[in-house]
Amino acid sequence: MKRIFQLALAISVAGIAFAGQVSPDFKVTNPFAPVTIVVQFSTPPGAAILGQVTSTGASTKQQFKHFPKFQVFTVPAGLVNLIAQIPGVKYVSPNRPVKKHLDLTTATVGSAIANLNGWTGQGIGVAVLDSGIDYNNADLKTSSGASRVVYSQDFTGENNTMDLFGHGSHVAGIIGGNGANSGGKYHGIAPGVNLINLRVLDENGAGSDAAVIAAIDQAIELQATYNIRVMNLSLGRPIYDDVTSDPLCLAVESAYQAGIVVVVAAGNDGRDNSAGNQGYGTINSPGDDPLVITVGAMKTEGTTDRGDDLIASYSSKGPTLIDHFVKPDLVAPGNIISSLRVPGSTLDVQNPGNQINPTVYGAPANSPSAYISMNGTSMATPVVAGAAALLLQQNPAMTPDQVKARLMLTASKSFPVFSIATDATTGISYTSYYDAFTVGAGYLDVQAALNSTALSTGVAISPVVIFNANGSLSMVSPDQFAWDDQFAWDDQFAWDDQFAWDDSTVFGASTVVNGSNVLMLSSSSIMAQKGTAGCSAIWSSKSSWDNGTTSSTSTLVKGEK
């Protein structure tokens, strides 16, 4: 204790004008209990600063090659605030938990035709940060039998890169499965890509900030070796910090800056009304980062005709907490998606009714099913990641900004004013409005994206929604990027008379008016979620629709019809 007192005195003498902050969600219940924290330094720390940190009793747990300002420590909980006061420490946050969040799909978004024309993602590497990949699956092999899972590494500490949960293989199949087990029926968006398997979720679908950051760090390291141009994160957690402080957001921005298109799930909290906002303000981190492509989920309604497709009511909606970015960026099919099954995995065992009958794809009735259906923005995200791979095969010179802008520009903007989904189990109905906070810039259209020649020249940063003095709302880009009426959103789509946004929509306890329907959208109640138990409740308390369970590790939301 004497050493700690002397350190505290030294910090006091130096002054704490340069001291950092502790994130508001960090709570001390037992000051002697060891906790794992992510420490952000103002500059890469030298021996002197690290010595001060470890003098508190902290031990270094993890360092990163491409994030020299980040380090992970284990320390008694009662000393975390002391570490934050060390000059040079910028921000301290807990090592937060993260969780996981096709025949009709490819035809609906137009990738099947693109594949026939030679666009398969050949030569493009896609990093999949998930629960592992079944790299021996025939759908993920070349015609010569070599696995297209070209690299695997575990970040959970279990020294196992196989998919014990069953989520990552499903995601990988949506991105790049070739349909070998189904005679080509269930193939992914980009069946020629190479996959980089970075396992960050365990057999229960649980992971941590540190594991995801370490995997992103390694993806950047391996970028040149495997031509990693796309990164898929079908996972997330609640938002606690603004994007300039959130370690997950800072990590995905580093991948973006390295030239990697980062595609992230919006989250499955669109039905959550615990804040009285009808599911608005429920985007997860790191999907709140303005430089990534954040994806919501659509329902194909069992047809290849896009005209009857509707938003999935569970798809999380913007604006983002704290920063008020307009999210998601676009939507893609994510409901009742058939992809790779991992026999005996956690999700397979928990959901036997979701296995696809082998006779559907021409296999003997008594043969084990090779496929399983899942639902959620976790499934919509790899659809967009696959589309990004197709664009990059077509034009390898495209930047992440150009890929994002092209996909948003060419996204279909034909939607109804609203739709209603009724939960078959509870009988509860959910009304969805097709505003920019629900469907972003529109519905992914791969053919339109490949046929377009538009190339943006600026930073494709998602806009911020602001309240104007005249009572209207505007979308403004911090970097003056041209998200105007002719580019991604238009007057008939986001801000017209059908969506008469009133004077305090996101900034006070006022209302949003959609026709004759009025729904509350109070920023005070949205912000109240930050740093409280309400954040974890948003994730776990979905028993009425989350596959019949309140488990926070269940990834399957109930499919809507």
Side-chain angles (χ1 to χ4, degrees):
M1 290 302 295
K2 181 178 179 181
R3 182 177 62 179
I4 294 174
F5 174 76
Q6 290 172 335
L7 176 63
L9 180 61
I11 292 172
S12 176
V13 170
I16 61 172
F18 302 102
Q21 293 180 295
V22 177
S23 63
D25 58 311
F26 179 77
K27 308 296 180 185
V28 178
T29 54
N30 179 354
F32 301 102
V35 294
T36 303
I37 56 175
V38 180
V39 177
Q40 298 177 40
F41 296 91
S42 300
T43 60
I49 294 179
L50 291 177
Q52 286 186 306
V53 174
T54 55
S55 292
T56 65
S59 59
T60 302
K61 185 173 183 180
Q62 200 165 13
Q63 297 174 311
F64 307 100
K65 298 177 184 177
H66 297 277
F67 309 120
K69 296 180 184 179
F70 284 10
Q71 288 202 28
V72 180
F73 296 91
T74 300
V75 64
L79 299 179
V80 170
N81 282 309
L82 183 62
I83 290 175
Q85 294 178 38
I86 296 174
V89 171
K90 181 179 180 181
Y91 200 74
V92 181
S93 58
N95 184 25
R96 298 164 177 142
V98 297
K99 303 181 180 72
K100 70 300 156 237
H101 268 336
L102 258 133
D103 56 334
L104 292 178
T105 303
T106 55
T108 298
V109 299
S111 63
I113 296 176
N115 298 160
L116 291 175
N117 289 326
W119 305 120
T120 64
Q122 184 77 29
I124 302 298
V126 180
V128 179
L129 280 66
D130 216 287
S131 61
I133 300 176
D134 178 12
Y135 36 81
N136 292 317
N137 194 297
D139 275 36
L140 302 179
K141 292 184 177 181
T142 66
S143 57
S144 63
S147 177
R148 286 185 290 113
V149 183
V150 295
Y151 181 89
S152 293
Q153 186 172 343
D154 176 65
F155 296 89
T156 67
E158 297 179 342
N159 196 30
N160 188 339
T161 57
M162 289 301 291
D163 187 5
L164 304 181
F165 187 54
H167 188 266
S169 299
H170 197 273
V171 166
I174 296 171
I175 295 171
N178 60 20
N181 288 307
S182 60
K185 182 177 179 66
Y186 296 119
H187 65 87
I189 303 299
V193 297
N194 291 326
L195 298 164
I196 293 80
N197 172 24
L198 305 177
R199 183 174 183 257
V200 298
L201 303 177
D202 63 15
E203 64 274 11
N204 296 310
S208 68
D209 276 11
V212 175
I213 294 168
I216 295 172
D217 189 42
Q218 184 66 347
I220 297 172
E221 182 73 8
L222 298 171
Q223 181 182 13
T225 303
Y226 297 106
N227 194 30
I228 299 174
R229 302 295 309 277
V230 183
M231 179 182 294
N232 188 97
L233 293 95
S234 291
L235 50 77
R237 59 157 169 76
I239 297 170
Y240 300 96
D241 312 308
D242 64 65
V243 297
T244 64
S245 300
D246 189 321
L248 283 188
C249 291
L250 293 173
V252 295
E253 286 192 12
S254 292
Y256 152 83
Q257 290 162 359
I260 300 173
V261 178
V262 182
V263 190
V264 185
N268 298 328
D269 303 320
R271 289 183 172 185
D272 190 288
N273 194 34
S274 59
N277 294 317
Q278 303 298 323
Y280 287 89
T282 56
I283 299 292
N284 283 194
S285 174
D288 59 324
D289 191 273
L291 295 173
V292 306
I293 303 175
T294 305
V295 186
M298 292 286 286
K299 304 181 293 183
T300 64
E301 299 298 315
T303 74
T304 59
D305 178 13
R306 299 168 61 89
D308 62 358
D309 294 5
L310 299 171
I311 191 72
S313 63
Y314 53 74
S315 186
S316 286
K317 307 170 191 175
T320 65
L321 299 187
I322 304 176
D323 296 297
H324 298 142
F325 288 113
V326 178
K327 292 281 184 171
D329 295 297
L330 73 167
V331 290
N335 194 66
I336 315 180
I337 306 298
S338 299
S339 187
L340 304 184
R341 171 190 173 225
V342 181
S345 63
T346 302
L347 289 177
D348 181 52
V349 172
Q350 291 178 347
N351 303 278
N354 289 54
Q355 295 176 17
I356 306 301
N357 188 326
T359 61
V360 172
Y361 51 88
N366 61 350
S367 62
S369 177
Y371 302 94
I372 191 170
S373 67
M374 296 188 191
N375 318 288
T377 59
S378 281
M379 284 59 254
T381 302
V383 175
V384 175
L390 299 183
L391 281 179
L392 290 165
Q393 180 197 8
Q394 182 192 54
N395 185 352
M398 290 184 77
T399 67
D401 293 300
Q402 289 171 335
V403 171
K404 178 179 178 179
R406 175 81 67 82
L407 292 175
M408 294 176 71
L409 166 66
T410 58
S412 169
K413 295 166 175 56
S414 177
F415 294 103
V417 176
F418 69 92
S419 61
I420 299 174
T422 301
D423 188 294
T425 302
T426 65
I428 298 175
S429 293
Y430 300 89
T431 301
S432 299
Y433 296 97
Y434 290 75
D435 49 58
F437 298 140
T438 302
V439 294
Y443 194 2
L444 175 69
D445 188 332
V446 174
Q447 275 297 100
L450 289 169
N451 289 334
S452 173
T453 58
L455 288 175
S456 64
T457 57
V459 178
I461 187 168
S462 300
V464 174
V465 61
I466 62 171
F467 169 54
N468 299 316
N470 64 1
S472 64
L473 287 183
S474 298
M475 290 186 290
V476 177
S477 168
D479 285 355
Q480 307 304 313
F481 191 63
W483 293 124
D484 63 13
D485 290 350
Q486 279 70 47
F487 198 79
W489 293 271
D490 60 40
D491 287 340
Q492 301 304 311
F493 175 56
W495 312 107
D496 70 359
D497 291 340
Q498 294 176 349
F499 299 97
W501 307 87
D502 84 350
D503 61 357
S504 299
T505 304
V506 189
F507 304 92
S510 193
T511 62
V512 175
V513 182
N514 289 279
S516 61
N517 299 286
V518 179
L519 68 102
M520 296 301 296
L521 186 58
S522 164
S523 73
S524 58
S525 56
I526 288 178
M527 294 296 289
Q529 298 171 10
K530 178 178 179 290
T532 69
C535 287
S536 57
I538 289 175
W539 192 272
S540 61
S541 60
K542 308 182 194 116
S543 57
S544 65
W545 57 282
D546 205 10
N547 202 41
T549 175
T550 57
S551 170
S552 63
T553 59
S554 174
T555 188
L556 294 182
V557 290
K558 184 167 292 185
E560 295 182 356
K561 297 181 179 178

